[in-house]
Amino acid sequence: MDDYLSKPLDERDLYRVPLKWIAPPQEAAHRPQSHGRTSGDQDVLDVQGALNRLGGRRQLYCKLLRKFESESATIDAIIARHIACSDKETASRLAHTVKSMSASIGAVCLSQAAAELETAIRHNRPKIDDLLSVFKSELDKTLRSINGLLEAELEGDEPALPTS
């Protein structure tokens, strides 16, 4: 095995990664990579990066945002409850799920906060409450950003999401 594809899956990598090993090295080295951000939500969501990974499918991205919003609204409290009940396995699994889901929608800071929380829970590290507080803050920012993005997209006067 010479390579791998990691989460969040970028659809373009399904073609790019194998080509890296098939094409002559100088061609593979010069393939452009595009990882942009849109204005407005660039501090919270990497919308363009997420859309790129989804092959530009805006409807799918909006569906993922709505799913994340509905499934994650109270996840911080649920994780905290599992920690308080000494159910570290469930708490770390939930943090891991948020880490993956948030990376998929372009919520990079939330994904990082979830990863740090997951690691701390798994290894029973001190200051889990501090990490949970950071996680909650990033989750709140992400949910506000998603809400604003979806509202703007619904108003429809001007697309809130970039068109490829």
Side-chain angles (χ1 to χ4, degrees):
M1 180 177 208
D2 292 318
D3 218 327
Y4 64 94
L5 298 172
S6 62
K7 292 180 191 176
L9 182 63
D10 184 333
E11 188 176 275
R12 295 169 301 162
D13 285 341
L14 291 173
Y15 303 100
R16 184 176 25 240
V17 171
L19 285 174
K20 180 170 82 176
W21 297 102
I22 297 169
Q26 61 270 44
E27 286 181 34
H30 295 292
R31 284 200 175 79
Q33 291 185 329
S34 118
H35 297 288
R37 292 179 185 253
T38 63
S39 60
D41 288 309
Q42 60 184 263
D43 294 335
V44 180
L45 293 173
D46 178 6
V47 175
Q48 189 62 57
L51 283 171
N52 289 343
R53 285 188 297 278
L54 296 171
R57 292 178 284 196
R58 294 172 61 203
Q59 285 184 324
L60 176 59
Y61 184 59
C62 286
K63 182 179 178 182
L64 290 173
L65 290 175
R66 282 194 276 303
K67 180 178 167 89
F68 182 86
E69 185 179 40
S70 69
E71 292 179 2
S72 302
T74 60
I75 196 70
D76 57 309
I78 295 168
I79 291 172
R81 189 174 37 221
H82 284 287
I83 291 169
C85 293
S86 297
D87 184 1
K88 308 276 187 191
E89 185 177 325
T90 302
S92 67
R93 183 175 39 81
L94 290 170
H96 177 84
T97 300
V98 174
K99 174 182 73 172
S100 297
M101 288 174 57
S102 56
S104 295
I105 62 167
V108 178
C109 293
L110 176 58
S111 182
Q112 181 62 39
E116 291 172 10
L117 180 61
E118 175 193 8
T119 300
I121 295 168
R122 279 189 198 271
H123 300 292
N124 206 25
R125 296 202 174 126
K127 300 191 179 186
I128 289 177
D129 289 340
D130 293 343
L131 292 172
L132 190 57
S133 178
V134 170
F135 173 80
K136 180 178 179 11
S137 174
E138 291 300 330
L139 177 63
D140 290 345
K141 287 182 208 172
T142 300
L143 291 172
R144 279 193 307 273
S145 185
I146 289 171
N147 188 286
L149 200 60
L150 290 175
E151 281 181 10
E153 188 71 11
L154 284 175
E155 288 174 4
D157 294 336
E158 200 172 299
L161 298 176
T163 55
S164 304

